[in-house]
Amino acid sequence: MYTISNRLKIASFILMAVGLLGIGWGFVSAPSTVEEAKAMASSHDSGHGDAHQEETTHVIAEERGSYKEVIEPGHGAEHDEHVLHQLQNKPWAALYVAAFFFFMIALGVLAFYAVQRAAQAGWSPLLFRVMEGITAYLVPGGIVVFVILVLSVMHMNHLFVWMDPEVVEHDALIQGKSGYLNGWFFLLRAVIFLGGWILYREYSRKLSIKQDEASDNANFKLNFRISAAFLVFYLISESMMSWDWIMSVDPHWFSTLFGWYIFASMFVSGITVIAMVTIYLKSKGHLEQVNDSHIHDLAKFMFGISIFWTYLWFSQFMLIWYSNIPEEVTYYVTRIADYRLPFFGMVAMNFVFPLLLLMNSDYKRINWFVIMAGIVILAGHYLDIFNAIMPATVGDQWFIGIPEIGAILFFAGLFIFWVFRALGTQPLQPKRNPFIEESKHFHY
């Protein structure tokens, strides 16, 4: 029976405390006047290049969700006020990116767990308790994300420009989407998504535990059926969630691949964390019957889904870039012009590094190698969400500073504490899963 160690518990509390200080600093230091915003913007321009400041011709820029022409960014009262709004948005955006990132890890694990249940996979039952422990984070993580969404609807921040009545009033395109993009319907959908995901997790976990003490396989069979049904709900709800929570920060832009793209990111992130938690538990003397073949299979999924993510990223990028339709291509123009380092760095971390680190079959069996690859993959997919949210919320005023690092530390601490506490509530090895013996003797 696993018990979270005092050292790990203290470390998680320290991360949360330091993270809270960083988050608080982000809100306290946000500018309240145009003069403060101009000073702050000028001090950070050198951090990510001034190419956009050297433009002397008209450029297309995003002004709180509607596109307008501006001459020489940095000049004019309207631009200065826009910079103020962007910098005021920055701590909110940093909080939202980190909150969503750690939540999507748990959601990715939930999908992988449901797939294993529905496929009646024989290799993975020894890992089910690890997956159930990680998905426990859906409750606190989902609550935090939902609170941020509620505060957005209440106009406590400006993460979603379509929630601003002044923007909608002068934007015919957003007006045309108002039947779907309106605050209360937005929150209702969020409740349905979160309710469905958490309900499945809790019920499947309950059946999994009951199966250990049962005299037949009724609970296992019921878990199989609800997992197969849940995957239908998951694929629909995950796609809609990605439109609502991420794509709608850019309400003028859309991609029919976006739901799959976000799914690939959360799926590989979730599998990566399963591998890392499993290796950690084995290093502490638990999960004795999990062998190198289990780690090898998890690393294969890390490698394979990284390639799948790259396929979706390139498909989306290439088609939009090649067609060069103004309302579509501006999404990538903004990111390549102002987010060149995180944009291309993300591609390297999510494709090149996994390709080089995990292509060799032998390396997939080396625990420290899998951990190293996992750290790179997780950092790359954090940047993926960063690139999806930040350009529409803070524009070219981005930089990874105290608010961003603080938010990462806080949610990392919360994630570690909640997951490892959940792992200690039940034995780590299922007893009566029909495939448990196959899993114990799994070799590849």
Side-chain angles (χ1 to χ4, degrees), residues 376-394:
V376 174
I377 289 171
L378 291 178
H381 285 284
Y382 169 82
L383 286 180
D384 190 10
I385 304 303
F386 185 90
N387 282 308
I389 298 293
M390 287 292 182
T393 55
V394 304

Side-chain angles (χ1 to χ4, degrees), residues 18-39:
V18 174
L20 275 177
L21 291 175
I23 293 169
W25 170 260
F27 283 101
V28 170
S29 63
S32 56
T33 65
V34 170
E35 289 71 23
E36 291 179 6
K38 289 170 67 176

Side-chain angles (χ1 to χ4, degrees), residues 7 22 54 56 67 113 122 152 172 218 233 237 257 279 286 301 319 335 342 346 394 409 436:
R7 181 178 297 181
E54 297 170 2
T56 57
Y67 301 103
Y113 176 78
S152 299
F233 170 79
S237 59
L257 267 179
I279 291 170
H286 302 281
F301 277 109
L319 290 173
R335 283 153 179 80
M346 167 196 73
V394 304
L409 294 178
I436 193 66

Side-chain angles (χ1 to χ4, degrees), residues 315-377:
S315 297
Q316 183 173 263
F317 174 77
M318 183 270 294
L319 290 173
I320 290 175
W321 191 260
Y322 183 77
S323 63
N324 202 27
I325 300 172
E327 60 267 27
E328 292 182 354
V329 78
T330 188
Y331 182 87
Y332 287 105
V333 169
T334 302
R335 283 153 179 80
I336 292 174
D338 298 324
Y339 287 74
R340 189 168 300 147
L341 180 60
F343 182 77
F344 290 109
M346 167 196 73
V347 177
M349 296 171 76
N350 293 340
F351 171 58
V352 178
F353 278 84
L355 186 71
L356 296 176
L357 295 176
L358 295 175
M359 179 177 285
N360 188 299
S361 182
D362 292 335
Y363 292 164
K364 297 186 184 78
R365 298 176 183 273
I366 302 174
N367 288 350
W368 70 265
F369 214 85
V370 174
I371 292 290
M372 181 175 65
I375 291 171
V376 174
I377 289 171

Side-chain angles (χ1 to χ4, degrees), residues 28-225:
V28 170
S29 63
S32 56
T33 65
V34 170
E35 289 71 23
E36 291 179 6
K38 289 170 67 176
M40 185 178 292
S42 62
S43 68
H44 292 117
D45 278 339
S46 59
H48 51 85
D50 294 326
H52 58 281
Q53 296 290 345
E54 297 170 2
E55 295 289 339
T56 57
T57 57
H58 288 69
V59 296
I60 300 297
E62 205 173 5
E63 179 70 27
R64 299 187 70 188
S66 58
Y67 301 103
K68 63 178 288 185
E69 281 192 323
V70 295
I71 302 176
E72 296 186 23
H75 295 273
E78 284 189 9
H79 178 266
D80 291 341
E81 187 164 345
H82 183 49
V83 170
L84 172 63
H85 293 150
Q86 289 176 330
L87 289 172
Q88 289 175 335
N89 247 357
K90 190 173 180 296
W92 284 105
L95 183 69
Y96 185 53
V97 169
F100 181 83
F101 173 70
F102 282 95
F103 175 76
M104 86 170 190
I105 291 173
L107 193 56
V109 173
L110 186 71
F112 189 70
Y113 176 78
V115 167
Q116 299 304 306
R117 288 281 185 187
Q120 296 191 358
W123 71 277
S124 56
L126 282 175
L127 304 175
F128 279 176
R129 290 289 187 265
V130 175
M131 300 183 207
E132 291 166 7
I134 296 170
T135 54
Y137 183 76
L138 286 171
V139 174
I143 290 172
V144 172
V145 171
F146 185 72
V147 168
I148 295 173
L149 299 180
V150 170
L151 293 175
S152 299
V153 171
M154 295 172 62
H155 308 297
M156 299 294 290
N157 58 62
H158 300 283
L159 295 175
F160 301 88
V161 295
W162 56 265
M163 293 183 185
D164 189 333
E166 293 183 12
V167 171
V168 176
E169 184 180 354
H170 299 95
D171 196 312
L173 194 149
I174 298 179
Q175 291 172 15
K177 298 181 178 182
S178 60
Y180 184 83
L181 291 180
N182 65 79
W184 294 113
F185 190 29
F186 175 80
L187 291 180
L188 175 62
R189 293 193 299 272
V191 169
I192 293 172
F193 303 155
L194 291 168
W197 300 331
I198 293 171
L199 180 63
Y200 165 73
R201 187 268 168 189
E202 296 298 327
Y203 190 47
S204 182
R205 161 82 163 176
K206 179 181 178 181
L207 291 174
S208 178
I209 295 170
K210 286 176 66 176
Q211 179 63 29
D212 283 355
E213 307 301 329
S215 58
D216 57 25
N217 293 328
N219 294 301
F220 174 82
K221 293 176 181 178
L222 179 58
N223 217 339
F224 158 72
R225 290 195 295 270

Side-chain angles (χ1 to χ4, degrees), residues 416-427:
I416 291 169
F417 173 74
W418 207 272
V419 167
F420 284 94
R421 191 190 67 164
L423 287 169
T425 59
Q426 293 291 332

